[in-house]
Amino acid sequence: MTTITVPPNPNAKPRILYENLMLDGGATITFTTENSPDVHENAYDWDPTTFWTPDDGTQSITAHFPTPVNVDSFGCYSHTLADNGGTIVLRWSDDGSTWHDAFTPVAPADTSPIYQRFDLTAHAWWRVQVVSTPASSIGITAFGQEIALERGIMDGLTPPIVARNTRVTNSVSQNGVFVGRSFVRSNVRSSFSSDYITQQWIRDVWVPFIKAAELHPWFLYWNYSAWPFETCFCYSDDQASMTPAAMTTPAGRGFFNINMPYRGNIS
Amino acid sequence: MRKKIGRPTCQVVELLLDFCQLRYGTTNGSGTCPAVLGVDSPQKCLNTRKTCPVPDSYLPAAKSYRFSNTAIKAPDTAKPTLVSVSFAPAKLDPGNSMGYRDTLKVVIQDTPGTDTDNDPYFRERSYTPAKQGTYWGKLLARNPYYQNRLIKVYSGYLNSDGSFDAANFDVRTYVITRITGPDSGNFQVTVEAQDALSMAVNLKAQAPLPCNGTLTADITDSSLSLTLDPPGVGDLQYSLSGTICIGNECMTYTRTSGSDTFVITNRGTDHTGPDPFILLGVSHSKGDVAQECLRYSHTFVTDVLYDLLVTYGNVPTSFIDKPQWDDEATIWLSQHFLTALIVKPTGVTTLVNELVQQCLFYIWSDVRAALIPFRAVRPAIRNESITLGEQHNILQDSASVSEDPSLRISQVITYYRQFNPTLAIDREDNYPGKGLAIDPEAQTAAEYGTKQVKKIYSRWFNSDNDTQVSTLGNRLLAKYRNNPKTLAFSLDAKDSEVWLASYINIVTSVMQDEFGDSPSQRMEIIQVAESIQGTKFDYLAMDTFFNRRYAFISPTLEGGSPFPDYVPASQADKDRYAFICQDDGLMTNGDEGYAIV
């Protein structure tokens, strides 16, 4: 399990959740119900095309860690909760019997990725709970400790919601009449960057994230303060870059500019 | 959905591979697996034939593996690892051959796999599936017997919320021929497949089946008994009665079950005519091969075709709608009863091509319907034709027309009433029957100036088929006396009900008459390719010489009452039967008049 040292988080800096304690935290996992092949492991394998489909009603997957683990964020994507009026919540316990919600249960209105933030807290028991009748399918959940960019995102960012990567084809008849239009649903494609990042932050925070992003997807909450419902389920599109910042003054030495190209899904 | 403006296209490929319905060492709703862990195998199987330790109990059913080119809303999803789908489309060759096969090539990206959907015992393995091997690496190692299993391509449109509804998709069905990969560069696999008729290609399918029974001793020219080696070959390769051919001699026989001894009932059969075609009994030596022959006696054309494709061609019966075949042939080929003796293994494709050519029909593999339809070379029934034009249908800059002079025919010579079936099929003096159809005008200097002769050697037509031979020659001349025209054009997906073998009435500025006008042309689609998935389709259409409104003479009564006049008649009656038109060639309501077939 990776220990993440995070500086204090002022408002509005982008947040990234790449930790998946249920998968990587060494916990003992139990569950209430599942319907093969939609087994509970599918809910935390980072694969949006495999699902955990339990019975209807109140169902959960519980992780018991050997020692308390720090958690301050939760992500969920690829689900059918909106179709069934279902809710999802992350809960914690110190004894495996008495449970507390980490945030108000979410009743999604559509299929957008879910990202919930809460005060950092450490407990040995964590539970993903779904309440849904009829039963819903859950593709991805992840919880752990988020990271925040040290300095925020530079001007010129294209927010995920407008970084659409849709391919369109028109059909026109011999006489010039518009007769048809098709498009391929695709994802979003963009990148974010930040300049004058300290070397220490690079080593403590950014490099661990880059290594994880080479292996699996992650959640991006690019502006939770101004746009709290805009979350993106992302995967890196190419190798992230880290380049020395231009030195205009002696004070500018030793800083880096970082850039992460990504693709993702916002619905 | 295909007519909607703003269609979210999607393509899904589905492989249907065998997967055992039982569970290792337990009883479930499908039955009991008798395997014992540590006795029958050191670890549990993977529910495939390759990994099954108790194959006598193996109980397969088709399991679906789906891959898409775009994300699909949960839970009807597929792995979005489909890289590309390409088709080499089928091409019809009406009245000539089975045409070209429809082939498919699919490229899929390989990925790590958790095995939660492919291994019922993934929790019991000593390794972590996501960290060992890849999805396709494991799938192919577990499923080496994928050939001749089905692969389906769904091409269509998602709902506006990204969910999958099968009603919005065309489904095309193929038979898997080969899977290669994953390669170490791109980590991709390539799946190749062909349409159902590919099962009957000559390399795979022959009629009759090859026999290797050999004489255990010399026989004389009058022997009426023979025995074959190796022991047991009689039941394995020969019927209880029929015809065998040894060397160039055919003889009829009977045999009892379990015996390799044949009682010969007639020597030197099926050799008629003068010397050297007639052949009575001759001696044969020990070790000579006896080949079982395939005989058809006054058999209806669709029954011969069905037998060749299903019995010898391995085409699954689910692809054949025999009642449709019989209905079509009963109307248009009602006199086509065939007689032939095939004395040596011959490619099924070769034999079917002969039938197609000589009986003037065609078959094709309709991958959308997963059927092999049958159609006579005939006019379109009125409501079969689809009207297309340049205003609302033909896409910009897509239309072009060409001719193929090599297909033109001015003479048809049909050789039939074969003397001796053991001689080469194209030996002309082996056929006393000779049908001749000539278009002398086409050969004059004022027209094409050359002869183009088509010779047909028919083992199928005998003295009962003089009328069919005459019709064959005349129809081939009618169809090919002028250079056949082929029109290429493209349509938007909204018009994609136009498919292989569709009849169309098309108006295009690239096909003009002598006055520069573009009259409606009746053509038949001989090739379709989906060039942009879900969006654009490319077509080839060929002239049909049936350019009138054809129909049959009606019965006198219908339902006990006199047959109705044209205007009050039902649409079905108007489509099938001819009515007398006015002097101007039109019906009283202005509809086109009829020509009687």
Side-chain angles (χ1 to χ4, degrees), chain A residues 6-265:
Chain A
V6 182
N9 295 342
N11 288 342
K13 287 181 182 170
R15 300 297 198 264
I16 294 172
L17 171 63
Y18 68 88
E19 203 169 36
N20 187 347
L21 291 175
M22 189 91 80
L23 179 67
D24 301 318
T28 301
I29 308 294
T30 56
F31 63 97
T32 51
T33 62
E34 65 183 17
N35 289 281
S36 181
D38 290 356
V39 296
H40 70 274
E41 287 92 342
N42 293 339
Y44 49 92
D45 63 356
W46 286 119
D47 186 346
T49 66
T50 60
F51 300 91
W52 169 50
T53 304
D55 294 344
D56 60 10
T58 301
Q59 308 292 338
S60 60
I61 305 171
T62 302
H64 180 201
F65 297 90
T67 57
V69 294
N70 288 322
V71 179
D72 63 7
S73 55
F74 169 81
C76 175
Y77 176 62
S78 189
H79 58 81
T80 61
L81 293 166
D83 290 343
N84 301 317
T87 65
I88 189 166
V89 68
L90 182 69
R91 315 192 82 196
W92 57 266
S93 172
D94 291 316
D95 56 11
S97 297
T98 304
W99 291 91
H100 310 271
D101 291 344
F103 50 83
T104 302
V106 176
D110 55 30
T111 56
S112 302
I114 297 167
Y115 195 123
Q116 291 290 309
R117 304 180 61 249
F118 44 91
D119 291 337
L120 186 71
T121 184
H123 304 282
W125 297 80
W126 290 90
R127 168 179 284 178
V128 174
Q129 179 171 290
V130 171
V131 180
S132 179
T133 300
S136 291
S137 297
I138 307 294
I140 291 175
T141 62
F143 62 85
Q145 197 172 344
E146 65 183 7
I147 64 170
L149 294 194
E150 189 177 39
R151 302 219 184 279
I153 290 179
M154 301 305 294
D155 284 343
L157 164 78
T158 301
I161 196 171
V162 295
R164 299 174 69 83
N165 194 30
T166 304
R167 298 194 303 275
V168 173
T169 306
N170 292 318
S171 297
V172 180
S173 79
Q174 179 64 33
N175 287 356
V177 176
F178 170 78
V179 295
R181 182 181 181 96
S182 299
F183 64 94
V184 179
R185 277 186 185 277
S186 192
N187 42 26
V188 301
R189 189 176 192 183
S190 187
S191 65
F192 60 85
S193 59
S194 193
D195 290 350
Y196 296 104
I197 306 300
T198 61
Q199 290 203 42
Q200 193 61 51
W201 188 90
I202 292 280
R203 286 159 175 77
D204 290 343
V205 181
W206 189 243
V207 169
F209 164 59
I210 295 302
K211 287 181 178 178
E214 288 172 357
L215 298 177
H216 58 71
W218 34 280
F219 288 89
L220 171 65
Y221 208 178
W222 76 279
N223 191 335
Y224 71 88
S225 174
W227 305 105
F229 297 106
E230 290 187 14
T231 304
C232 185
F233 176 72
C234 303
Y235 48 97
S236 55
D237 194 20
D238 200 345
Q239 190 65 38
S241 68
M242 294 173 279
T243 54
M247 296 178 290
T248 56
T249 68
R253 291 197 189 117
F255 290 98
F256 276 76
N257 301 332
I258 60 172
N259 176 268
M260 169 61 95
Y262 70 90
R263 292 182 187 248
N265 299 98

Side-chain angles (χ1 to χ4, degrees), chain B residues 505-580:
Chain B
N505 295 323
I506 190 164
V507 176
T508 166
S509 52
V510 302
M511 296 181 79
Q512 300 172 21
D513 64 13
E514 55 269 36
F515 304 106
D517 195 9
S518 296
S520 176
Q521 303 274 346
R522 177 148 315 145
M523 307 188 89
E524 184 175 14
I525 303 296
I526 61 171
Q527 188 175 68
V528 184
E530 187 176 15
S531 52
I532 301 178
Q533 189 262 314
T535 305
K536 182 180 168 210
F537 291 76
D538 297 336
Y539 297 86
L540 279 180
M542 182 179 263
D543 262 339
T544 163
F545 69 96
F546 294 113
N547 276 313
R548 299 289 306 279
R549 185 183 185 186
Y550 293 89
F552 293 99
I553 297 174
S554 76
T556 306
L557 300 174
E558 184 174 70
S561 300
F563 202 83
D565 289 337
Y566 179 75
V567 171
S570 68
Q571 189 60 50
D573 281 342
K574 288 176 182 175
D575 289 338
R576 183 173 172 85
Y577 299 114
F579 294 78
I580 306 296

